[in-house]
Amino acid sequence: MSGDKHVLRAELRNEFRHRRRGLSESAQQTASQAVLNNLIETNLLDVRRIVAYLPNDGEVSLQPVIEYAWQQGIDVYLPVLHPFSPGNLLFCRFTPSSHMQPNRFGIPEPVIEVQDICPLASLDCIFTPLVAFDAHGNRMGMGGGFYDRTLAPIRRDGLNCQLIGVAHSCQQADLLPVQSWDIPLDKIVTEQQIYSL
Ligand SMILES: Nc1ncnc2c1ncn2[C@@H]1O[C@H](COP(=O)(O)OP(=O)(O)OP(=O)(O)O)[C@@H](O)[C@H]1O
Ligand SMILES: [Mg+2]
């Protein structure tokens, strides 16, 4: 990878993480409710199985989306660090009675039960957190490559699973520097609007 691009990505990551961490508690709550409303209005939650995430580092909380999904009978899954495939994620069923434990980043995840794991091909929609996005659907994450690695088969095998980035509008960049392994998004939802690519 070119050194310049690597440095630029690291600088952008710092700036955009700082922005989202600077949002007030009330701005965070307003955003998470607005994201739910935007998804309902555009019928993006008329599906059977979704992957959500639990918020970290100023990310938009999907708690309202998760509760709405549970009310509607939509199955909710959360990313779990793969126990023996480093750098990859598993998607495990999340219910109000799931046993949770913190992973090595301190983020709670369901304790893995084999029958609760959902293969990528059976998921309708994956909501990904992100550090920054642009209007072309490019996504920058926290820098671990977890989503890029795990989601690569969606593009490679033409799976029918929508990738929807979830962000505060202040996380929009003009044009992100991307790498060959970055998996682009199909849609981005913010508290203000939905971008469809
Ligand atoms: N499909 C892949 N196979 C192997 N390595 C990968 C793959 N995708 C990403 N990586 C590696 O992961 C590292 C981090 O990637 P990147 O900077 O794009 O992370 P990110 O998109 O911010 O993180 P995430 O995907 O977890 O949100 C890179 O060094 C890259 O080489
Ligand atoms: Mg990436």
Side-chain angles (χ1 to χ4, degrees), residues 18-37:
H18 187 73
R19 281 192 195 184
R20 68 181 186 184
R21 281 200 304 258
L23 293 167
S24 68
E25 186 53 37
S26 82
Q28 286 284 359
Q29 278 180 19
T30 307
S32 62
Q33 193 58 49
V35 160
L36 171 63
N37 294 344

Side-chain angles (χ1 to χ4, degrees), residues 1 5 9 148 152 177-184:
M1 167 189 346
K5 205 185 234 188
R9 278 163 69 102
D148 286 326
V178 291
Q179 295 287 5
S180 55
W181 59 78
D182 284 322
I183 303 293

Side-chain angles (χ1 to χ4, degrees), residues 28-191:
Q28 286 284 359
Q29 278 180 19
T30 307
S32 62
Q33 193 58 49
V35 160
L36 171 63
N37 294 344
N38 291 342
L39 292 173
I40 293 173
E41 264 173 32
T42 47
N43 301 324
L44 285 171
L45 289 172
D46 293 352
V47 293
R48 292 191 1 227
R49 296 189 194 93
I50 65 169
V51 171
Y53 60 81
L54 298 184
N56 175 44
D57 194 59
E59 292 162 356
V60 178
S61 169
L62 286 179
Q63 196 61 37
V65 171
I66 291 170
E67 278 165 23
Y68 173 86
W70 283 341
Q71 283 164 18
Q72 300 293 311
I74 300 167
D75 290 346
V76 178
Y77 296 81
L78 287 178
V80 174
L81 298 180
H82 201 294
F84 40 76
S85 182
N88 283 271
L89 302 169
L90 287 174
F91 298 116
C92 290
R93 183 88 186 274
F94 179 46
T95 71
S97 56
S98 291
H99 294 291
M100 307 294 283
Q101 68 183 11
N103 65 20
R104 65 184 153 92
F105 301 111
I107 303 168
E109 52 184 39
V111 173
I112 299 172
E113 303 279 353
V114 173
Q115 69 276 12
D116 289 342
I117 300 172
C118 189
L120 261 188
S122 303
L123 290 163
D124 297 310
C125 164
I126 299 178
F127 292 101
T128 75
L130 53 83
V131 170
F133 70 95
D134 68 23
H136 305 281
N138 295 315
R139 168 183 182 277
M140 175 177 279
M142 292 281 269
F146 292 95
Y147 280 96
D148 286 326
R149 278 188 207 87
T150 307
L151 303 182
I154 295 183
R155 296 293 135 96
R156 197 182 58 218
D157 305 342
L159 301 182
N160 200 11
C161 172
Q162 286 227 71
L163 299 184
I164 306 184
V166 183
H168 299 284
S169 49
C170 66
Q171 291 173 257
Q172 181 168 9
D174 286 340
L175 183 59
L176 284 176
V178 291
Q179 295 287 5
S180 55
W181 59 78
D182 284 322
I183 303 293
L185 300 161
D186 296 308
K187 292 190 163 54
I188 297 135
V189 57
T190 72
E191 79 285 5

